[in-house]
Amino acid sequence: PLTITVDGLAKLLGVPNDHMLRKMRFIGMNKLANDYLLSNEEAADIALTYGVVPVIPEESGPELYPRPAPDDMSKHPLRPPVITIMGHVDHGKTTLLDTLRSSSITAGEAGGITQHIGAFSVLMKGGQNITFLDTPGHAAFSAMRARGANATDIVVLVVAADDGVMPQTKEAIQHAQDAGVPIIVAINKCDKSGVDPSLIQEELLQHGIQTENMGGDVQAVEISALKGDGVDELAENIATLAEVLDLRAEVDIPAEASVIESQVEKGRGNTASVLVKRGMLKVGDIIAAGTTWCKVRSMADDRGKPVVSAGPATAVKIMGWKEIPQAGDLVLQAKTEAQVKDVIANRIAKRKKREQLDSIEAVNEKRREIH
Ligand code: GDP
Ligand code: MG
């Protein structure tokens, strides 16, 4: 562990020793000599009284890490694209998701009662799968991004032809552009009389979205989410763009996933839906997310059917969590229960330390306000 003397810290902070010693006495310390060795916590407390927020190098302790990305993805199998539908309220996101869900050729399968697990897969006629995230758009997207989980490959931007570009449309464009995620525009409600979809494309151009008709490379599809018109074409466009993106993932490594949503369910206990990113997640696996963990007791797909394994870009609900994890949490696989317990204990200890540091900072903030 790093330590520093009183003298060394004063030099580091660029303050006179005697001034710092007075500060130390003021905050209740008694190691009042220049050659005393300060602990990290003490040094942090002193630094904070000078308004310097220290970065304490955390000892990493037991931790799980994602595998580094391989140099050559081309030998790994293709995976489905993951789509987030965004757009202004009432422009038809939920209607479009419902239409897509029921258009899936697997919809008629036995046990095919759709379950809300935060994402669902649509099997295309050509055999490709497309995964749609269906948690309320922007919030989930932002939560995942805030935790560095860029789970979305393509954003479908829904714009109602009778309403045009609205505040949440602009917000969605911003989110997608910030994340560097390509957009496909779905101009919705084209069944309504008197609407002119080409006006929407002109309007989008003013907001940095140049559709193919306007000389750009963003695809725009005219649809009626309500009647189903154009929805197949939209799905085909998604599949085509996905092919261009050449989305691949390793399947022969420990599982990595992102938590989409979590809840306590009657009869099922703590559950969490996750989107697998890499590797194969299997029943019996031991996984960690945030400060909780799980030995996967059972998994269910978006039809409520039990599954024993889930590969990249598929969503499953997982049963068996000690406590529920948070949306956006990274899920990583551990080798043993002993290992995962060590990792979680370490994470909890670190979180406590951070909270302590935050409260010290809050107290000092108050002090600075008073003085
Ligand atoms: P969301 O807020 O974006 O999820 O929008 P909803 O899917 O809830 O749709 C808002 C309203 O628009 C509902 O009354 C839908 O029935 C209606 N709506 C959605 N899509 C269409 C469409 O393609 N045509 C028409 N005429 N109405 C639609
Ligand atoms: Mg909705």
Side-chain angles (χ1 to χ4, degrees):
L2 270 162
T3 50
I4 194 165
T5 60
V6 169
D7 192 40
L9 183 62
K11 282 202 176 73
L12 197 65
L13 292 170
V15 296
N17 288 23
D18 55 337
H19 189 268
M20 202 178 89
L21 287 165
R22 279 201 301 277
K23 282 260 189 184
M24 288 167 64
R25 187 179 296 120
F26 178 73
I27 60 173
M29 289 185 179
N30 48 21
K31 291 180 179 174
L32 300 174
N34 282 327
D35 57 351
Y36 267 125
L37 275 179
L38 297 161
S39 70
N40 280 337
E41 286 75 14
E42 288 169 330
D45 287 354
I46 298 164
L48 284 167
T49 68
Y50 285 101
V52 174
V53 181
V55 178
I56 298 181
E58 288 183 283
E59 280 182 68
S60 61
E63 192 42 275
L64 298 167
Y65 299 99
R67 285 284 180 98
D71 293 330
D72 180 12
M73 278 310 291
S74 68
K75 40 179 187 286
H76 297 287
L78 288 162
R79 63 165 177 83
V82 180
I83 315 300
T84 299
I85 295 184
M86 296 208 242
H88 196 68
V89 65
D90 283 344
H91 279 200
K93 298 180 294 295
T94 303
T95 309
L96 177 58
L97 282 165
D98 288 346
T99 303
L100 284 161
R101 206 189 315 251
S102 58
S103 79
S104 175
I105 60 170
T106 56
E109 264 181 25
I113 300 166
T114 53
Q115 306 281 316
H116 176 86
I117 65 163
F120 63 91
S121 289
V122 170
L123 182 58
M124 303 277 296
K125 290 179 193 83
Q128 317 96 310
N129 263 301
I130 303 176
T131 300
F132 289 92
L133 295 178
D134 67 353
T135 30
H138 304 205
F141 190 78
S142 303
M144 292 234 205
R145 278 226 334 126
R147 287 147 195 263
N150 249 341
T152 300
D153 300 305
I154 299 167
V155 164
V156 169
L157 179 66
V158 176
V159 189
D162 62 346
D163 204 22
V165 174
M166 298 301 281
Q168 285 164 281
T169 318
K170 293 181 210 166
E171 198 182 289
I173 293 171
Q174 199 59 55
H175 277 315
Q177 287 179 342
D178 288 351
V181 176
I183 291 175
I184 293 179
V185 176
I187 303 174
N188 192 29
K189 308 199 185 184
C190 288
D191 59 292
K192 285 199 162 181
S193 61
V195 299
D196 182 357
S198 65
L199 289 180
I200 304 298
Q201 305 209 26
E202 281 173 30
E203 211 183 342
L204 282 167
L205 186 59
Q206 289 158 26
H207 294 92
I209 300 296
Q210 195 170 12
T211 57
E212 287 172 341
N213 280 353
M214 307 298 292
D217 56 9
V218 177
Q219 305 177 72
V221 191
E222 295 174 14
I223 66 163
S224 166
L226 195 64
K227 303 242 163 86
D229 305 330
V231 173
D232 281 351
E233 195 193 330
L234 173 65
E236 275 159 29
N237 285 10
I238 292 169
T240 307
L241 179 53
E243 247 174 69
V244 174
L245 296 175
D246 195 42
L247 305 165
R248 293 172 188 275
E250 308 103 296
V251 287
D252 53 355
I253 60 167
E256 273 175 43
S258 287
V259 175
I260 311 172
E261 54 184 40
S262 60
Q263 64 193 111
V264 183
E265 278 179 62
K266 231 181 175 170
R268 277 181 151 173
N270 298 328
T271 71
S273 299
V274 309
L275 179 71
V276 179
K277 298 200 295 190
R278 309 158 77 191
M280 297 293 290
L281 187 59
K282 299 183 199 72
V283 168
D285 282 352
I286 295 157
I287 52 177
T291 49
T292 180
W293 67 281
C294 166
K295 180 172 169 126
V296 181
R297 192 170 68 219
S298 61
M299 304 197 291
D301 68 8
D302 56 351
R303 311 262 152 204
K305 273 197 305 194
V307 290
V308 292
S309 74
T314 58
V316 277
K317 178 174 279 189
I318 298 175
M319 274 59 75
W321 294 91
K322 302 295 159 194
E323 287 169 51
I324 56 168
Q326 286 177 20
D329 275 350
L330 178 63
V331 179
L332 290 170
Q333 195 178 337
K335 287 194 182 74
T336 60
E337 271 190 44
Q339 185 195 14
V340 86
K341 282 177 184 167
D342 281 351
V343 168
I344 298 305
N346 181 41
R347 288 181 183 179
I348 290 171
K350 276 190 193 169
R351 188 182 62 191
K352 282 209 180 110
K353 222 176 193 176
R354 269 197 302 276
E355 282 166 1
Q356 271 168 8
L357 216 58
D358 286 349
S359 63
I360 291 169
E361 169 63 343
V363 168
N364 280 296
E365 191 66 43
K366 275 265 147 57
R367 271 193 200 133
R368 280 197 290 275
E369 276 167 26
I370 293 163
H371 292 298

